[in-house]
Amino acid sequence: MLIIKNLRKITVLLSVVSALFNLLIQPATAASETTVSADELKQQPAFPAEYQKLSYPQRLDWLKQQLKTADSAARIYQLSSEMGFEHFANYANDKLQLVCQQTKPEKFDLQYRYICAVSDNNSYDDSIRQLMQLYDDAINAKNIDLATQILSGVAWKQSSNGDIASAFRSYELAMSLAKQASPEALNDVMLNTAALYVMHGDKAYVQKGVQLQQATISRLEALKRDTPESADYANEILALTYHNIGVAYALHLHDYQQALHWFGLITPNNKELRRSSLVFSALSAAELQQKEQANNLLTASLQAPKSTEVNTDYLDCYQQLVQLKLQGVAELQPCQLLNTQTPLEVSLDLYKRMALLETAEWRLHGLEKLHQLFIVKLEPQLKQSATQSASHAELSRLQLESELKTQLLEKEQSLKKAEQEQHQSQMMLTAAVLAILLLVLLVITIQLRQNRKLAKQFESLSVLDGLTGLHNRRFFEQNIQRELNFVRRSQQDGTGHTIAFYLLDIDFFKKINDSYGHDAGDEVLVEFARRIKLAIRETDMLIRWGGEEFLLVARLEQKTDHHHIAERIRRVVNQQPFDIANQNTIPVSCTIGAVVYPEAGHDVVQLDWHHLVQLADAALYLGKKKQRNCWVCVDNIVDLAALDDILQQDLEQSAQQQQIVLSSKFDATTTTTS
């Protein structure tokens, strides 16, 4: 709940360390059109030691005074960017954006570009693209800490924009990258990921978030033990982690005994977390019917100071809820005046607790606020998440490209390390020993390359049919849910787009094998696949289903498209005989069974792909039974409730009972039966 905002301190620390390492300084308030180089910034005087002891307003005053006498573009840029970091560290995003507009970041200045991009709330899509480009640049610059920060920033923006699924993916990618970064960067990402799991996940994800936080505790305890100079940093993050585990148990898992345990680990001298931990401890004790302890904790919370970093006015409402539970009387007003910036997880928890109370005034207020919360936040987020899936495909592509670049970076770093070891060996070992080591390294490198090459080949072969080059059933099962989601979104939006399943079977294929041999049969399969690919779009999914049977999944923009596709496939197969090596030409035809994803008025149909394939197979069987070299299509399932009966009986019988609409084309005649 508090973790993302509080960890901004860690982000600033990482930014400063990384900036010093890369000679990249940061943004602010004096406009400059002159290009500044990294070498010029390196030559600028460092800030005095007294600067670090100043407060935020005092630092701003000092920087403004220095800007008045700045005599070069590089000095102005250095002072301005430092001012930008001060705004960033103190959550003054509006002021930071003004700095970014007046002193635009140089391309090499990755840290300044990062804080300008992550604080930009004007355009979500532009901000995401800007951050992903910055991520690529950070990878190219071998700045793993910053690359990790950027992915964490992307995930935070995605979760703030309601795209929780993409935020999960971004955080998990950041987690894998953070293993190569500094301990601070790894802690930052793990705790942010845990916070997202807890705030937006189901029970399993909440528990996964708690596990990540507990892993961070173990790492911080080891850091305190091994490097005593890091004790202050470790203790601050440990307290924050204890607090957030307690919140997870209190607000999400409702294990109040565990909540009391974790809140109890926070020392009383922690002014930022003291009041929050006391309030939630009082709530947990009240829920456990430990009234005396709850009263003591509530009294202590009323005397504790408020946080100076984040708005925690919602704690006033929790205090009143605890008082109502203990004494039967409380003031509703603090709950009526909740800040609009109250975290969503807190608002939901408060309103749900009020909605379950017996007191009518409190219960009605909780129910009303739950309804408003759904209308204002939850429903728009659900719609937004559905409509944004296409735009996030590009983000996924960029992330994949960046991941590949990360792998190349790892390889370069490994080779560089090997070269350093080789250089040290030259000074210590004889020429013969060195030659042996070089030979061993060469063999290992060749084996690694061969293994990687084989791994890539196996990965490709696992989803491809070895004969035709088409995708196989495994690829279909991995990707069909995307097509089903597409048609369900279309039904929800009323756009009219849908999909159709086609099962294609080569007529008398066994006779071809028996008459011309299996090699000729293989050539027919390859040529058949080639002709079908020419007749469909690149976006359609063509699958080698098994033997002489193929499966096609095609998106439809018009309701009659599925007939045109079926007829186009039938003609492209039989319009010319197949040329077979060392044989005469062979006439080949195919029979097609198809089914269109059904509609049901304004409702969204939830139909499994297995049923669609079974219907297409039944249509194919009917075509084989009637004539071959034809197509039969289930245009619509009128009675979805009778689906099991439709699958178990002849399709013509289902059409006669008006359970389905059936179309077919035998010879030159097209018929429709309903």
Side-chain angles (χ1 to χ4, degrees):
M1 179 174 58
L2 298 175
I3 194 164
I4 293 179
K5 289 189 175 181
N6 281 277
L7 283 178
R8 198 162 190 169
K9 291 183 176 179
I10 305 174
T11 301
V12 173
L13 173 63
L14 292 172
S15 299
V16 172
V17 173
S18 185
L20 292 174
F21 179 77
N22 290 282
L23 301 178
L24 303 176
I25 330 257
Q26 299 100 340
T29 60
S32 174
E33 299 297 333
T34 306
T35 301
V36 177
S37 69
D39 289 338
E40 290 174 323
L41 289 178
K42 180 182 178 182
Q43 296 169 8
Q44 297 306 308
F47 297 155
E50 292 77 12
Y51 175 81
Q52 302 301 327
K53 301 177 182 179
L54 300 177
S55 65
Y56 169 50
Q58 290 172 334
R59 289 186 181 186
L60 294 183
D61 290 340
W62 186 88
L63 292 169
K64 290 175 182 178
Q65 290 299 320
Q66 294 296 312
L67 280 168
K68 291 179 180 180
T69 59
D71 56 359
S72 68
R75 181 61 172 172
I76 293 173
Y77 188 91
Q78 178 197 32
L79 295 167
S80 299
S81 54
E82 175 65 19
M83 191 176 294
F85 269 92
E86 289 300 324
H87 292 319
F88 179 74
N90 289 276
Y91 313 103
N93 282 355
D94 292 341
K95 295 179 180 179
L96 171 57
Q97 278 303 299
L98 181 61
V99 168
C100 295
Q101 293 168 9
Q102 293 177 331
T103 303
K104 297 186 181 300
E106 298 290 346
K107 182 174 176 58
F108 66 83
D109 196 346
L110 302 181
Q111 293 294 342
Y112 183 24
R113 286 172 56 192
Y114 168 67
I115 65 172
C116 288
V118 79
S119 61
D120 182 6
N121 294 319
N122 291 331
S123 170
Y124 170 75
D125 291 333
D126 289 344
S127 181
I128 291 295
R129 281 192 290 269
Q130 188 177 357
L131 283 169
M132 291 312 300
Q133 179 59 57
L134 181 57
Y135 173 77
D136 286 342
D137 293 343
I139 290 295
N140 291 332
K142 303 179 182 179
N143 192 336
I144 303 302
D145 276 8
L146 178 59
T148 304
Q149 282 180 252
I150 294 167
L151 282 179
S152 183
V154 168
W156 179 78
K157 277 189 171 289
Q158 289 168 331
S159 64
S160 300
N161 204 51
D163 190 1
I164 306 304
S166 293
F168 278 172
R169 291 194 296 269
S170 297
Y171 269 133
E172 288 170 355
L173 179 59
M175 285 274 288
S176 64
L177 185 61
K179 295 175 183 177
Q180 309 166 49
S182 66
E184 292 81 6
L186 180 58
N187 289 338
D188 186 3
V189 173
M190 285 189 69
L191 293 178
N192 277 322
T193 305
L196 192 71
Y197 287 165
V198 170
M199 286 190 291
H200 298 291
D202 55 15
K203 184 176 180 180
Y205 264 107
V206 175
Q207 292 173 336
K208 185 177 180 181
V210 171
Q211 291 171 1
L212 285 177
Q213 290 167 329
Q214 291 174 331
T216 302
I217 291 174
S218 300
R219 188 180 300 103
L220 290 168
E221 293 289 358
L223 181 65
K224 286 174 58 178
R225 183 176 60 253
D226 299 337
T227 56
E229 63 272 16
S230 302
D232 290 342
Y233 159 77
N235 286 333
E236 180 180 2
I237 307 306
L238 277 171
L240 186 62
T241 308
Y242 296 154
H243 175 271
N244 284 282
I245 294 178
V247 170
Y249 279 114
L251 302 193
H252 299 275
L253 297 175
H254 302 131
D255 187 339
Y256 297 108
Q257 198 64 53
Q258 280 289 340
L260 283 171
H261 165 73
W262 287 102
F263 287 128
L265 296 178
I266 302 172
T267 58
N269 60 357
N270 192 315
K271 296 181 180 179
E272 283 300 318
L273 299 176
R274 178 64 174 165
R275 182 166 179 260
S276 178
S277 60
L278 285 171
V279 171
F280 287 124
S281 294
L283 176 69
S284 300
E287 292 290 348
L288 292 171
Q289 300 298 317
Q290 299 173 5
K291 294 187 177 181
E292 181 178 357
Q293 182 182 10
N295 268 313
N296 293 336
L297 290 167
L298 178 60
T299 301
S301 73
L302 292 170
Q303 300 170 355
K306 291 190 175 184
S307 170
T308 59
E309 293 189 356
V310 293
N311 189 315
T312 56
D313 290 345
Y314 53 82
L315 293 176
D316 298 340
C317 180
Y318 275 112
Q319 288 173 328
Q320 295 303 315
L321 281 174
V322 174
Q323 184 171 322
L324 183 66
K325 192 171 186 67
L326 296 176
Q327 303 173 14
V329 178
E331 295 182 13
L332 178 59
Q333 186 178 15
C335 298
Q336 294 173 325
L337 300 177
L338 282 183
N339 191 288
T340 56
Q341 299 302 316
T342 300
L344 180 60
E345 61 165 341
V346 173
S347 300
L348 278 173
D349 182 71
L350 282 170
Y351 296 146
K352 285 193 292 185
R353 289 180 188 274
M354 284 188 275
L356 295 175
L357 293 173
E358 295 181 359
T359 307
E361 184 181 12
W362 287 77
R363 183 173 66 255
L364 289 175
H365 182 71
L367 291 171
E368 179 184 352
K369 287 297 183 180
L370 279 175
H371 179 261
Q372 290 179 5
L373 201 62
F374 175 79
I375 297 298
V376 175
K377 286 190 176 182
L378 300 181
E379 186 178 35
Q381 284 186 5
L382 290 172
K383 293 181 179 179
Q384 185 181 50
S385 179
T387 57
Q388 285 178 340
S389 59
S391 64
H392 292 315
E394 176 64 11
L395 174 60
S396 299
R397 183 187 68 79
L398 290 173
Q399 288 178 339
L400 181 57
E401 290 179 356
S402 298
E403 186 176 0
L404 294 175
K405 290 181 180 179
T406 303
Q407 294 173 358
L408 292 175
L409 174 61
E410 293 173 357
K411 183 178 179 181
E412 291 174 0
Q413 291 174 334
S414 299
L415 292 175
K416 185 176 181 180
K417 183 178 179 181
E419 290 172 357
Q420 292 172 346
E421 292 175 353
Q422 177 183 345
H423 178 70
Q424 294 174 353
S425 299
Q426 287 175 343
M427 299 174 62
M428 299 172 61
L429 303 176
T430 64
V433 174
L434 178 59
I436 293 173
L437 288 175
L438 289 174
L439 180 60
V440 170
L441 287 173
L442 179 62
V443 171
I444 291 174
T445 302
I446 293 173
Q447 289 178 340
L448 286 174
R449 288 179 177 175
Q450 289 177 340
N451 289 340
R452 290 173 183 169
K453 184 176 180 181
L454 286 173
K456 290 181 179 179
Q457 290 175 345
F458 288 145
E459 182 180 359
S460 174
L461 289 173
S462 66
V463 295
L464 293 178
D465 174 55
L467 177 63
T468 64
L470 299 179
H471 288 112
N472 59 18
R473 285 196 184 207
R474 181 178 181 184
F475 176 87
F476 170 81
E477 292 172 355
Q478 292 173 351
N479 291 273
I480 187 57
Q481 193 60 45
R482 180 192 66 231
E483 300 302 314
L484 296 178
N485 291 341
F486 160 79
V487 71
R488 290 165 187 165
R489 287 195 305 272
S490 177
Q491 290 183 350
Q492 187 178 41
D493 298 340
T495 58
H497 297 169
T498 187
I499 58 174
F501 284 61
Y502 299 84
L503 268 178
L504 322 172
D505 187 89
I506 300 176
D507 296 333
F508 305 111
F509 184 73
K510 183 177 184 302
K511 184 176 180 181
I512 293 175
N513 277 334
D514 294 343
S515 301
Y516 301 99
H518 288 282
D519 289 342
D522 288 347
E523 290 186 57
V524 168
L525 291 171
V526 172
E527 175 62 14
F528 183 84
R530 187 190 71 81
R531 292 192 183 189
I532 301 303
K533 287 175 68 176
L534 291 175
I536 63 177
R537 298 163 300 189
E538 292 185 1
T539 54
D540 295 336
M541 189 189 305
L542 183 59
I543 304 296
R544 172 86 183 277
W545 198 242
E548 70 273 21
E549 205 168 51
F550 297 77
L551 176 65
L552 169 66
V553 180
R555 293 188 178 185
L556 308 177
E557 295 183 359
Q558 303 294 332
K559 293 185 176 180
T560 58
D561 284 353
H562 57 291
H563 292 171
H564 299 319
I565 293 173
E567 181 60 16
R568 186 163 64 247
I569 291 173
R570 189 184 72 83
R571 289 181 179 178
V572 79
V573 171
N574 65 18
Q575 65 184 0
Q576 290 184 351
F578 283 36
D579 292 326
I580 305 301
N582 302 322
Q583 300 287 346
N584 296 326
T585 58
I586 300 176
V588 177
S589 65
C590 72
T591 302
I592 305 167
V595 60
V596 179
Y597 197 100
E599 299 179 354
H602 299 292
D603 296 332
V604 177
V605 178
Q606 299 287 339
L607 196 60
D608 189 82
W609 66 263
H610 296 87
H611 293 150
L612 295 168
V613 172
Q614 288 177 357
L615 284 169
D617 188 57
L620 174 66
Y621 174 79
L622 180 59
K624 291 282 189 181
K625 174 183 173 182
K626 289 285 187 179
Q627 174 181 306
R628 301 179 192 267
N629 190 19
C630 64
W631 55 261
V632 177
C633 180
V634 179
D635 294 337
N636 192 21
I637 304 174
V638 179
D639 187 359
L640 285 168
L643 182 60
D644 290 339
D645 295 336
I646 295 171
L647 292 172
Q648 294 176 7
Q649 66 188 11
D650 186 88
L651 288 184
E652 287 185 312
Q653 182 180 349
S654 299
Q656 291 171 1
Q657 296 173 356
Q658 295 186 347
Q659 294 172 325
I660 62 173
V661 177
L662 195 65
S663 297
S664 60
K665 182 158 187 178
F666 301 106
D667 295 324
T669 303
T670 302
T671 60
T672 300
T673 307
S674 61

